[in-house]
Amino acid sequence: MRRLVPLRQVVSLFLSQRGGAMAVGAVLAALAVLAGVALLGLSGWFITATALAGLVPAGALMFDVFMPGAGIRLLAILRTAARYGERVVAHDATLALLAALRERLFRGFAQPGIARALAARPARLLFRLSVDVDALDSVYLRLLVPGAAAVATALCAGVALALIDWRLGVGLPAALLLPGLGLPLWLAGAAERAARRRAAALEALRVRGVDLVAGQTAWLMAGRLPAQTEAVMAAEARLAEADDALHRLETLAGLVFGLAGALLLGGMGWAVAALGLPAPQAALALLVALAAMEPFAALRRGAIEMGRGARAAARLLPAMEAVPPAPAMLPPQGVALRLSALRYTPPGAARPLFDGLSLDIATGEYLVVTGPSGAGKSTLLALLTGEATPQSGGIALLPHALLSQRVELFQDSLRGNLLLAAPGADDAALAAALQEAGLEGLSLDSRLGEGGAGLSAGQRRRLALARVLLRDAPLWLLDEATEALDGDTARQVLARLGRRDGQAVLAVAHLRREAEMADRIIRLEQGRITGEWRRGKAGFAEALARLRPG
Amino acid sequence: MPESRAGAWLQVLASLLWVPQAALIAALVAGIAGAGGPLFWFAAGIAAIGALRAGAEALGQRMVFRAARAGLTAQRRRAVGSLAARSPLDTGRPASGAAAAALAEQAEAVLPYLSRYRPARLRSTVVPCVLLLVVLTQSWLAALVLLVAAPLIPLFMALVGLRAKEASEAQMLEIGGMNALLLDRLRGLATIRAFDAVDATARRLRAAAESLRARSMAVLRIAFLSSAVLELFASLGVAMVAVYVGFHLLGTLEFGAWGGRMGLGPALFVLLLAPAFFEPLRDLAAAWHDRAAGEAALASLDALAAPPALALPEARAAVEAEGTAPGVSVRGLAFRHAGAAGPVLDGFELDIAPGEHVALLGASGAGKSTLLALLAGLAAPQGGRIAIGPRGLEPAALRGRIAWLGQQPELFAGSLRANLLLGRPGLDPEPWRRALLPDLPPDRPIGEDGAGLSGGEALRLGLARAVLPPGAGLILADEPTAHLDAATAREVTTALLLAARGRTLLLATHDPVLAARMDRVVRL
């Protein structure tokens, strides 16, 4: 039961967001059920009473048929209206909560710390995210609403029967609530393990499905396509097992509740006979007991969902308590980027990669960073963009635009991909940027597939460049800007990159052409600056010459 | 599915057991009112029949569920099989996120549909008919009231349900699309953050969720309307029966029963059957949403299971490795991407001698990647012929003998070793790992899509993985030195040439250094 604690926080979060609508939904639900109970009970009483009155010749004339008759019809209409209102209000409230949750969670996930974990397993974490959000959906609709309705029904039915005989008034709620709430609680606990296995299997099915489709070529060429297909189906087999276990439990709970209901009805029959109640009251008590069992049946599915909802809540709550990231420090006037005594040890590394690294880039300066693989060039960029956080030392930089090594494009129109960099840009500006990047042939309306599928490596690169060009940032961070571009296009693009006045650039480069317009070249080796050459000073030409031609 | 049908009928039986139970309840009240009888045995009978009902219901549910679950497994197997048979060049290929969503969480909607909606439909056709006949034996007028109320219900529900189905299908599409959208955006979180677009993206997601809410509510309002109509008719039906029976018992309405006035027992019996008459219809309405979601999910699965527009060429016969470098002969090769204006390759010819190393040079989009994909048997050309090796076999028959290195190697969450092996038995990844990835230990964890590796490392991993099988005599590489620094590019080039020793090599590249190391350069 302790596992269910996070649910409380979710409920209070929901209440703070849409408490009013939620309460209205629950009240309407209770009203609908109660109207149904009253309808049946009143009808039973009415028929029995009229039968007895009809036996006496004058009885029919004395009997007031108006009130019960009108009451029965009124209850019929009330039940319908309340049911419809409850459904609409409760679902709308739930979906509004979910929409708000999605946004809040995305913001939470966009923090540097979480973003890094996410970057390693986006499919798995995202799937959890959407499953968890869906699970919270059922907390209100399947748990709170039917729970409130069932408890209200049991209590009101108890009050009504207490007017006939206090023993019935105590006995009925007790006989309803004990199995009616006890079984769902037992079920929530018993189903927890199967629900967890089910969630894991569904996740595995999902992740392996993504791997199968996204990595189809790799599996195919390795001759492992059938094996990966079987891996997907193995997850499905585990899912089937867990589904079946859950259904077994749910059915068992239903069976026990059905048996308890049979006992309750038989017991009520015995009680009304033993108490010697008048027949109309006996009919009312029996029919109320019959109708009051109905709302408890709905609780079983809620109980199955309870464990899921609690786990989802436990996983999501930390992300939702996200604090906005601290704004980046701005460097002093005339400096575009300043690193001072930077110290950073990558996760899992024994020694720091950077130990006291300091570096200044003046506004308008074009700095090229060279160095072998593993020298720390990519990590340096990660630190600058806030993807990694240094253990000590200062980072101050102007607003910047990044051209990353792995081009990240999105399933969206070309326009949508460009607008990411400049939300306010009009089509003319976008088209101009495309042309500058050498993509004039493409339409802004053409749609890209997942991760920008549909473009060649060169086109992807150029589209990413267009994004950077669009970005009106005083500092550009370029990670191998012209890799995979043919010589002519690369030279065109580089010419554009170097032409803006006052534009500071930090470019990680391997190719000579990318370094040719540098004001300064530094060489990074094992996190240390081992060489620095300024344009026009000794060694600059030699430093250029050491780079890969192209 | 006989088990499913038997289970559904068992649930029908459970519903019908209400008839004797209601008769006993009516007899009990009539007995209290003065008719007498073994009252306590009536009460015991009520409990016993209730227990029997619960048992039949539970057993029926289990039988139906097991059959439904087996059906879902079969559906998923078909969908996975078709996804695997699709060519990577098929432009209609579903995005991995959308396909996995349809396969995994959306397909779960099939279960409630098969295990709840279907039995509810059977109950709703059988149980009311039987109950109507039973009521008819007591009072023709009460039966008439029910008869009038009942046929209106399916009519209304059909009208309302039709629109609900359309709306629900649109909604399912949007859920899949939204999952894909989220996955896509979170994958590029670094870029979104770099562009300070977290806020804008979050707002866009919110807008997508809000639009989903609006669409969902459009579906639900209609779906709820159908259940409200039902609820109204059911409530009014019960109310009218009760009021009629009441007046009848008072003597105000003398007609309607067979042979004079009903007694209290039959009257209560009729009243108790009235809600049970409508209950199966209410259950059906409650399962209506299951139906819409379930049918949409089945349709999505069927769409995945449909034969692909562009299929992977079938490997007709698995060919044993011959251990030699095959030659390649390409004659009149033609290929046009679906939806493209013109062919990317038209009448292309190429001959590569066994063991020859050839570079393909050409502008971006000239068809280098397509040519390599056709040579790897990822799609069948629309015209012309590719013959590989002394026996002139098609590429699809020879995939095991081809080492493929794509532009961006597909990497998976797991260890480096697992990514190198991809589960292939009998291979030792160590020599190639030491040669190409000396800095990375074999148990180094790798994220989805190779997260955590530099571009160069990912490429070297892909290369090591491709050349792992010694029998792969033909290496096809798409821009292998892109994204590598000069030193690493040199290393990779050296490693590639080492790996290509005794193998045929065809690579697409922009790298003049790499191209210069080949035996021959072909311009496209």
Side-chain angles (χ1 to χ4, degrees), chain B residues 136-187:
Chain B
L136 190 62
T137 64
Q138 304 297 321
S139 158
W140 59 264
L141 190 61
L144 192 66
V145 169
L146 296 181
L147 194 62
V148 169
L152 293 174
I153 291 172
L155 187 75
F156 272 98
M157 278 176 49
L159 284 176
V160 167
L162 277 177
R163 279 193 58 203
K165 182 166 177 281
E166 281 167 29
S168 173
E169 276 166 3
Q171 185 202 4
M172 292 294 285
L173 275 180
E174 191 162 336
I175 290 178
M178 194 157 124
N179 273 342
L181 189 83
L182 249 170
L183 182 70
D184 192 59
R185 294 305 190 275
L186 285 175
R187 266 197 186 137

Side-chain angles (χ1 to χ4, degrees), chain B residues 260-340:
Chain B
R261 205 188 286 182
M262 273 191 284
L264 172 59
L268 258 185
F269 181 51
V270 167
L271 174 71
L272 285 171
L273 292 187
F277 173 82
F278 292 104
E279 197 179 74
L281 293 168
R282 289 177 64 202
D283 288 351
L284 187 68
W288 199 261
H289 196 61
D290 290 340
R291 170 194 140 124
E295 285 185 345
L298 277 178
S300 297
L301 277 178
D302 281 343
L304 286 188
L310 186 62
L312 277 173
E314 289 263 348
R316 290 209 187 85
V319 174
E320 289 300 309
E322 288 162 26
T324 54
V328 178
S329 147
V330 176
R331 288 284 164 271
L333 200 66
F335 192 85
R336 191 166 71 88
H337 288 281

Side-chain angles (χ1 to χ4, degrees), chain A residues 344-353:
Chain A
Y344 177 70
T345 309
R351 281 175 301 124
L353 175 61

Side-chain angles (χ1 to χ4, degrees), chain B residues 68-96:
Chain B
R69 195 62 192 72
L72 176 59
T73 298
Q75 282 275 353
R76 280 191 169 131
R77 181 171 286 284
R78 275 195 293 277
V80 168
S82 169
L83 279 173
R86 228 169 247 269
S87 164
L89 295 191
D90 186 345
T91 43
R93 217 166 154 259
S96 58

